[in-house]
Amino acid sequence: MRPGSTNGTSGGGLAVPMAWLCAEYTADEMLRTAALVAPDSLEFRAGRQTLALTIHLCDGADPLAGASPAARVDDWLAVTAYGHPWPEWVRERLTARAERERHGRMDPDLALAAGAWRLLRGTQLLATDLGGLEPWHPSRPVDTPPNEAARVWMPAWELGLPLGHLAIHLW
């Protein structure tokens, strides 16, 4: 009988995507604590998946090794900041992980991370058109507030990214 769970390091066992599950849990806790949107909303889900993907890809293959918690938070803030090429960064990281897997290093979290990225790109949400404003950087003076009645369709990650960034700040 195969074991119910392993961390993917023992031969023949069921590989459990613990790094992804930990990243998703952390993202969920951050967004719930920040209370920016209702936990049962599509916006919350977009923010959770975007933030989980960011956390998972920043932490690398071993989230317990290396950087201090404060350094991790700084990394998450930098990656989710306005102007950072987040989608390109995600694609590069996922491609690198897929390449490692092709060369024999199994990554049980890769399928969940890649699936989250597909959903974030493929899901369109109707949201307020911010018209290029930087809503999560309140230090920038804004001449006119956004017209909240003007709504546009956007990929879920475009809404999840500022939610995740704000949640990290409020955490």
Side-chain angles (χ1 to χ4, degrees), residues 84-104:
H84 184 274
W86 189 83
E88 291 83 9
W89 176 82
V90 169
R91 281 192 291 272
E92 288 171 6
R93 294 282 177 119
L94 288 175
T95 301
R97 296 252 175 113
E99 193 62 33
R100 281 197 307 254
E101 190 170 275
R102 272 185 278 232
H103 289 71

Side-chain angles (χ1 to χ4, degrees), residues 57-130:
L57 294 175
C58 272
D59 286 351
D62 186 2
L64 300 177
S68 69
R72 286 187 185 153
V73 170
D74 289 343
D75 287 345
W76 302 340
L77 285 170
V79 170
T80 58
Y82 180 81
H84 184 274
W86 189 83
E88 291 83 9
W89 176 82
V90 169
R91 281 192 291 272
E92 288 171 6
R93 294 282 177 119
L94 288 175
T95 301
R97 296 252 175 113
E99 193 62 33
R100 281 197 307 254
E101 190 170 275
R102 272 185 278 232
H103 289 71
R105 184 164 182 256
M106 186 181 153
D107 185 357
D109 305 284
L110 181 61
L112 291 174
W117 178 232
R118 276 191 304 276
L119 283 172
L120 287 168
R121 281 181 316 167
T123 303
Q124 297 284 315
L125 297 176
L126 186 61
T128 299
D129 182 10
L130 298 175

Side-chain angles (χ1 to χ4, degrees), residues 125-150:
L125 297 176
L126 186 61
T128 299
D129 182 10
L130 298 175
L133 296 178
E134 302 173 22
W136 58 95
H137 292 281
S139 62
R140 177 179 180 253
V142 179
D143 295 10
T144 58
N147 177 4
E148 293 189 24

Side-chain angles (χ1 to χ4, degrees), residues 42-54:
L42 289 174
E43 292 85 356
F44 182 89
R45 187 170 179 177
R48 183 183 65 217
Q49 293 300 98
T50 301
L51 192 51
L53 196 53
T54 301

